[in-house]
């Protein structure tokens, strides 16, 4: 696809472009013989052939921004496709295991009790399974850059795609400084005399360095981080079972004692609703599998396996481990109320180990928590930079096109795309702004969105606010801006899949043509969408009528309630404002099924031959391997 873009540009520009192309090839040959330092420096230079956007196209609705042009933007991704199957599988298995599970589950246990903890995480896990299946189906077929906003743009509404792109980018931009501060806080578990600012510097430089290596560096780092997290959770599960049946130092059988007293539920139905919200935040990052599809060497092979493994991660790492947490730690334990959402002393995993009287192992778990925090920070730079680069490439296209008049004799390509417009509409196209600043579209010769990574890294310096006396206030409101981002993202994925399937049917396509089909189907996407709406309602209720803290001052007075509501729900009006303003100013269309672009960015797969080869290969598998591949 990139080759066709280059060919079209050279043919339209004449011999001059061919000369430029030869000069670039010669320059690359020279650079391959240059010293290592020179090659490393040259790798950061922009490759002029790297564009997500094809130049000079006008949309089918007469505007510079259109579904077809926007689809072309993200389909021609110059991002390096260097993620392997093992990287994607470990991102799927351990990518979102972090402070939400290790520490946030303590707050959930305290507010709702062990039964609410189990119910909420199970239901949110089921919703995420449906969501990731839907995402997998679209990402295998259309592995485009910035996939979440791209699918919303293509299948829902370009204005909603704009809102979702910035919603998701903002989520990760804000998470980075929060997680770096959290990593510094974990060091305080050992009463370190070193200033937190020193640890912030070390962790920030480490995360930036990993992402500057490229997508391969991100993949390898997440591979190692995920292995450590998976081993830790499995180890805790084994230890938890032993402790529960009386294998600890006290040789005391615990069983379901804490379910009877103090009880299975706390704060009734409102407590359950509050746990729903915490559980949803704990699963943030699950969708990174779809974002990584644009940089995966073979998404047709790697993505289905990674998507299936999400189910086992949810069952094993969340449901089983949290069941044991509810059996080993009572929700009345005052240590569950930590100073922050990343305070390792408030981790029910650490508390369970300390209650058993096992020395040293709590420090090991704290190291795992710190690694989990750094893993989330690493994902934050990756997620935000890729989303910003995709939005910026669309912006680059808009600015280049908006200055050109469309005429069928001067621009036959635009005429083909705008065949149904009137002559006046083609002569005076409406300009639409870029979705992100143009400079963020810079992608270097190694396929790294270098300036987008720089912006993400710059947000990381907010972590130095940890040394000020206003850090809690600042971080509370930053977190409020991103609090509901994942809910909007997941809901949009489910709704986009519903609309995609309908368009697939309306345009006469068969389900047999899909390279990977969601196991949950359209029904699963409806379930996922409805659950996301219910979580938004639950968050609205718990923000409007909060649970009074068991320890500390109560929330009283109008000002305190208003403040609490916006800290819980600020992200929702911000997202809606972005959508409504963009919609009103630029009048983007709500996509109709018959007009949706189901071709641009489509992976060129000879599906009949591919499936025949796979069936032939499967015939030689033993029964155990067939069962394993069906499940994983």
């Amino acid at each position: 696809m990139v080759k066709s873009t280059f060919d079209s540009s050279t043919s339209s520009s004449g011999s001059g472009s061919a000369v430029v192309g030869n000069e670039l090839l010669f320059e690359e040959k020279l650079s391959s013989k240059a010293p290592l330092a020179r090659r490393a420096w040259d790798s950061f230079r922009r490759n002029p052939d790297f564009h997500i956007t094809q130049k000079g196209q006008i949309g089918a609705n007469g505007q510079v921004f259109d579904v077809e042009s926007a689809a072309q933007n993200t389909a021609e991704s110059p991002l390096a496709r260097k993620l392997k199957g093992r990287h994607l599988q470990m991102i799927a298995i351990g990518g979102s295991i972090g402070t939400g599970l290790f520490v946030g589950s303590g707050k959930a246990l305290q507010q709702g009790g062990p039964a609410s903890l189990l119910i909420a995480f199970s239901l949110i896990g089921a919703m995420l399974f449906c969501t990731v299946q839907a995402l997998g189906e679209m990402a295998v077929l259309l592995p485009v850059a910035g996939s979440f906003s791209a699918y919303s743009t293509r299948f829902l509404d370009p204005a909603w795609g704009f809102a979702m792109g910035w919603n998701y980018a903002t989520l990760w931009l804000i998470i980075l400084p929060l997680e770096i501060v959290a990593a510094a806080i974990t060091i305080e578990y050992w009463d370190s005399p070193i200033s937190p600012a020193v640890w912030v510097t070390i962790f920030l430089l480490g995360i930036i360095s990993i992402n500057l290596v490229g997508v391969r560096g991100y993949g390898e780092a997440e591979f190692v981080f995920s292995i450590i997290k998976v081993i830790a959770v499995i180890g805790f599960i084994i230890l938890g079972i032993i402790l529960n049946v009386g294998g600890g130092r006290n040789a005391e059988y615990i069983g379901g004692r804490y379910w009877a007293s103090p009880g299975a539920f706390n704060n009734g139905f409102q407590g359950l609703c509050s746990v729903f919200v915490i559980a949803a935040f704990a699963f943030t990052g699950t969708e990174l599998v779809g974002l990584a599809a644009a940089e995966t060497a073979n998404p047709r092979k790697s993505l289905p396996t990674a998507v299936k493994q999400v189910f086992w991660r949810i069952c094993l790492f969340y449901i089983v481990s949290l069941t044991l947490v509810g059996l080993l730690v009572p929700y009345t334990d005052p240590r569950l109320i930590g100073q922050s959402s990343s305070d390792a002393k408030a981790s029910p995993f650490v508390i369970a180990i300390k209650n058993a009287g096992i020395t040293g192992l709590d420090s090991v778990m704290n190291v795992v928590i710190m690694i989990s925090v750094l893993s989330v920070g690493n994902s934050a730079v990756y997620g935000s930079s890729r989303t910003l680069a995709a939005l910026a490439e669309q912006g680059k296209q808009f600015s280049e096109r908006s200055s050109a008049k469309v005429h069928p004799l001067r621009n036959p390509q635009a005429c083909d795309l705008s065949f149904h417009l009137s002559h006046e509409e083609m002569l005076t196209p409406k300009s639409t702004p870029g979705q992100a600043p143009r400079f963020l579209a810079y992608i270097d010769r190694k396929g790294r969105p270098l300036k987008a990574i720089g912006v993400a890294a710059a947000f990381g310096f907010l972590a130095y606010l940890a040394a000020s006396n206003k850090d809690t206030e600042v971080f509370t409101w930053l977190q409020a801006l991103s609090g509901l981002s994942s809910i909007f993202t997941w809901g949009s994925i489910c709704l986009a899949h519903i609309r995609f399937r309908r368009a697939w049917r309306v345009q006469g396509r068969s389900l047999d043509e899909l390279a990977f089909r969601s196991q949950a189907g359209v029904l699963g996407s409806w379930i996922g969408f409805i659950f996301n709406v219910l979580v938004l309602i639950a968050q609205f209720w718990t923000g409007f009528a909060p649970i009074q803290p068991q320890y500390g001052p109560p929330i009283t007075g109008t000002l305190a309630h208003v403040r609490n509501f916006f800290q819980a729900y600020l992200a929702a009006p911000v997202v809606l404002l972005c959508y409504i303003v963009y919609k009103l100013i630029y009048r983007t269309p709500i996509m109709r099924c018959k007009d949706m672009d189901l071709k641009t960015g489509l992976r060129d797969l000879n599906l009949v031959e591919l499936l025949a080869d796979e069936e032939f290969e499967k015939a030689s598998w033993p029964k155990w391997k067939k069962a394993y591949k069906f499940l994983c």
Side-chain angles (χ1 to χ4, degrees):
M1 298 294 285
V2 173
K3 181 179 182 298
S4 64
T5 306
F6 181 73
D7 289 343
S8 63
S9 64
T10 54
S11 62
S12 62
S13 302
S15 59
S17 295
V19 173
V20 172
N22 291 333
E23 288 176 355
L24 289 171
L25 292 174
F26 179 69
E27 184 180 353
E28 290 183 4
K29 289 179 181 178
L30 281 178
S31 63
S32 65
K33 299 178 182 179
L36 179 61
R38 169 75 181 278
R39 278 182 285 159
W41 176 259
D42 285 346
S43 71
F44 290 100
R45 296 171 60 189
R46 184 170 196 161
N47 190 324
D49 293 336
F50 276 1
H51 298 287
I52 293 177
T53 302
Q54 286 203 11
K55 301 178 182 179
Q57 295 182 346
I58 302 297
N61 66 345
Q63 297 183 14
V64 180
F65 179 83
D66 173 72
V67 176
E68 292 172 357
S69 59
Q72 192 72 48
N73 294 349
T74 50
E76 302 296 334
S77 172
L79 299 173
R81 297 180 184 258
K82 293 184 179 180
L83 285 180
K84 297 183 178 179
R86 63 183 178 89
H87 297 139
L88 209 61
Q89 289 172 28
M90 291 312 295
I91 290 172
I93 292 174
S96 69
I97 296 176
T99 54
L101 173 64
F102 291 126
V103 182
S105 57
K107 180 180 179 181
L109 177 62
Q110 187 273 326
Q111 289 193 352
S116 293
L117 182 72
L118 194 57
I119 292 170
F121 272 82
S122 298
L123 292 177
I124 295 297
M127 178 267 286
L128 255 297
F129 172 75
C130 297
T131 302
V132 174
Q133 285 283 325
L135 177 60
E137 181 178 302
M138 294 187 291
V140 169
L141 197 68
L142 302 162
V144 296
S147 59
F148 314 128
S149 61
Y151 297 145
S152 293
T153 295
R154 189 181 294 202
F155 303 129
L156 299 177
D157 184 338
W160 189 250
F162 166 79
M164 285 301 96
W166 276 104
N167 166 70
Y168 196 70
T170 302
L171 166 69
W172 289 115
L173 287 173
I174 291 173
I175 279 180
L176 177 60
L178 294 175
E179 294 301 316
I180 292 174
V181 171
I185 290 174
T186 59
I187 299 294
E188 295 178 5
Y189 185 82
W190 295 288
D191 299 322
S192 172
I194 301 175
S195 170
V198 175
W199 295 112
V200 165
T201 303
I202 294 172
F203 295 144
L204 182 59
L205 289 177
I207 289 172
I208 294 173
S209 299
I210 289 172
N211 281 271
L212 285 179
V213 172
V215 67
R216 187 69 177 271
Y218 165 77
E220 293 295 349
E222 283 304 303
F223 183 77
V224 174
F225 289 157
S226 294
I227 287 177
I228 294 172
K229 291 186 285 187
V230 166
I231 292 173
V233 173
I234 293 175
F236 177 81
I237 290 172
I238 296 171
L239 176 64
I241 294 172
I242 294 172
L243 294 177
N244 186 259
V245 299
R249 178 174 295 181
N250 300 327
E252 182 182 8
Y253 175 76
I254 299 174
R257 177 191 306 169
Y258 298 132
W259 280 61
S261 177
F265 292 94
N266 189 26
N267 295 313
F269 183 68
Q270 190 177 20
L272 175 62
C273 288
S274 67
V275 177
F276 269 118
V277 175
I278 297 171
F281 297 157
F283 282 105
T284 298
T286 305
E287 71 288 337
L288 279 172
V289 174
L291 193 67
E295 299 183 76
T296 303
N298 187 358
R300 166 67 183 89
K301 183 177 180 180
S302 304
L303 261 176
T305 301
V307 165
K308 290 177 183 178
Q309 289 175 348
V310 169
F311 172 77
W312 297 109
R313 187 194 72 204
I314 292 170
C315 287
L316 179 63
F317 302 135
Y318 280 86
I319 307 306
V320 176
S321 62
L322 291 177
T323 299
L324 289 168
V325 161
L327 292 171
L328 295 173
V329 181
Y331 68 74
T332 54
D333 194 314
R335 290 172 293 179
L336 292 172
I337 309 298
Q339 295 179 357
S340 73
S341 61
S342 304
D343 188 353
K345 296 177 182 178
S347 168
F349 292 80
V350 172
I351 292 171
I353 292 171
K354 295 189 77 171
N355 286 347
I358 304 174
T359 57
L361 199 56
D362 56 328
S363 291
V364 173
M365 183 57 69
N366 193 58
V367 171
V368 173
I369 293 172
M370 184 177 67
I371 291 173
S372 300
V373 169
L374 294 176
S375 172
V376 175
N378 188 38
S379 297
V381 175
Y382 176 81
S384 59
S385 62
R386 269 58 182 181
T387 304
L388 287 173
L391 291 171
E393 276 287 352
Q394 292 182 1
K396 179 173 177 292
Q397 180 186 27
F398 303 150
S399 59
E400 288 174 346
R401 294 178 187 173
S402 59
S403 62
K405 298 293 183 182
V406 185
H407 193 281
L409 297 178
R410 298 174 187 171
N411 196 341
Q413 183 185 29
C415 181
D416 290 340
L417 289 171
S418 307
F419 65 92
H420 63 281
L421 298 178
S422 67
H423 182 67
E424 291 78 17
E425 287 176 316
M426 287 192 293
L427 284 176
T428 56
K430 300 176 184 178
S431 64
T432 304
Q435 294 195 351
R438 183 173 178 173
F439 74 92
L440 294 173
Y442 185 100
I443 297 177
D444 67 15
R445 298 188 174 193
K446 293 296 183 180
R448 296 169 294 206
L450 202 61
K451 293 186 178 179
I453 291 175
V455 170
F459 270 79
F461 286 97
L462 289 173
Y464 285 106
L465 287 171
S468 74
N469 56 0
K470 294 289 186 182
D471 59 324
T472 303
E473 186 77 10
V474 172
F475 287 132
T476 296
W477 288 106
L478 283 176
Q479 203 164 16
L481 274 174
S482 62
L484 296 173
S485 295
S486 293
I487 309 300
F488 280 108
T489 297
W490 299 334
S492 298
I493 290 170
C494 292
L495 191 57
H497 179 248
I498 293 168
R499 299 287 294 158
F500 160 75
R501 276 290 193 95
R502 180 170 175 78
W504 194 260
R505 186 178 73 251
V506 168
Q507 296 186 24
R509 310 293 289 268
S510 168
L511 293 181
D512 295 332
E513 298 178 60
L514 295 174
F516 169 72
R517 197 183 307 176
S518 167
Q519 293 176 320
V522 177
L523 177 61
S525 293
W526 274 114
I527 292 172
F529 177 72
I530 292 170
F531 259 101
N532 279 290
V533 173
L534 290 176
V535 171
L536 288 175
I537 295 172
Q539 178 72 334
F540 184 90
W541 182 32
T542 56
F544 181 75
I547 296 174
Q548 293 297 332
Q550 188 173 353
Y551 304 95
I555 301 173
T556 57
T558 303
L559 184 61
H561 277 83
V562 170
R563 178 187 178 88
N564 182 81
F565 174 78
F566 278 105
Q567 286 178 353
Y569 222 73
L570 181 61
V574 171
V575 168
L576 293 177
L577 183 65
C578 289
Y579 171 71
I580 293 171
V581 170
Y582 199 90
K583 182 78 174 176
L584 291 177
I585 294 177
Y586 303 108
R587 303 183 184 278
T588 57
I590 295 177
M591 299 313 304
R592 302 175 65 184
C593 293
K594 66 183 183 66
D595 298 326
M596 290 181 189
D597 182 3
L598 300 178
K599 296 180 180 179
T600 306
L602 195 70
R603 271 295 170 96
D604 186 16
L605 299 170
N606 187 342
L607 204 57
V608 175
E609 183 178 341
L610 191 64
L611 293 176
D613 291 341
E614 288 182 0
E615 290 299 324
F616 179 77
E617 183 183 357
K618 289 178 183 178
S620 62
W621 289 352
K623 290 183 178 180
W624 68 266
K625 189 172 183 180
K626 290 180 180 179
Y628 172 78
K629 287 293 183 180
F630 175 78
L631 296 172
C632 302

